[in-house]
Amino acid sequence: MDTLKFKTTINCGACVAKVTPILNEQESVKNWSVDTANPQKILTVEGENIDEAELVQSLSRIGYKAEKI
């Protein structure tokens, strides 16, 4: 299983609620979480053969930035 981390603009519980359907529909993503207490708002994604570009683009479409770290 791959684990990827992204610095994001997902700031709060409402933001997490907005990205939940987007992240849940990614077939390659098995688990994910956002550390909104971290200043960099770290999104941790676990899964198999995760398409980083697709994930970043999906978040971008709904107004969030994600940068792999």
Side-chain angles (χ1 to χ4, degrees):
M1 184 170 303
D2 300 324
T3 301
L4 304 177
K5 292 186 181 277
F6 298 87
K7 181 170 74 169
T8 71
T9 57
I10 302 169
N11 307 336
C12 63
C15 298
V16 172
K18 189 172 177 183
V19 301
T20 294
I22 300 299
L23 292 170
N24 286 348
E25 75 182 15
Q26 303 278 327
E27 290 184 19
S28 59
V29 174
K30 303 300 178 210
N31 297 306
W32 63 272
S33 63
V34 181
D35 181 359
T36 56
N38 184 306
Q40 295 186 323
K41 312 303 179 198
I42 303 299
L43 167 64
T44 303
V45 180
E46 297 176 332
E48 299 292 334
N49 304 313
I50 299 167
D51 185 340
E52 295 172 35
E54 181 184 339
L55 188 119
V56 169
Q57 186 177 30
S58 294
L59 291 173
S60 177
R61 273 190 240 118
I62 59 168
Y64 296 99
K65 293 180 183 173
E67 177 185 329
K68 188 169 186 250
I69 54 174

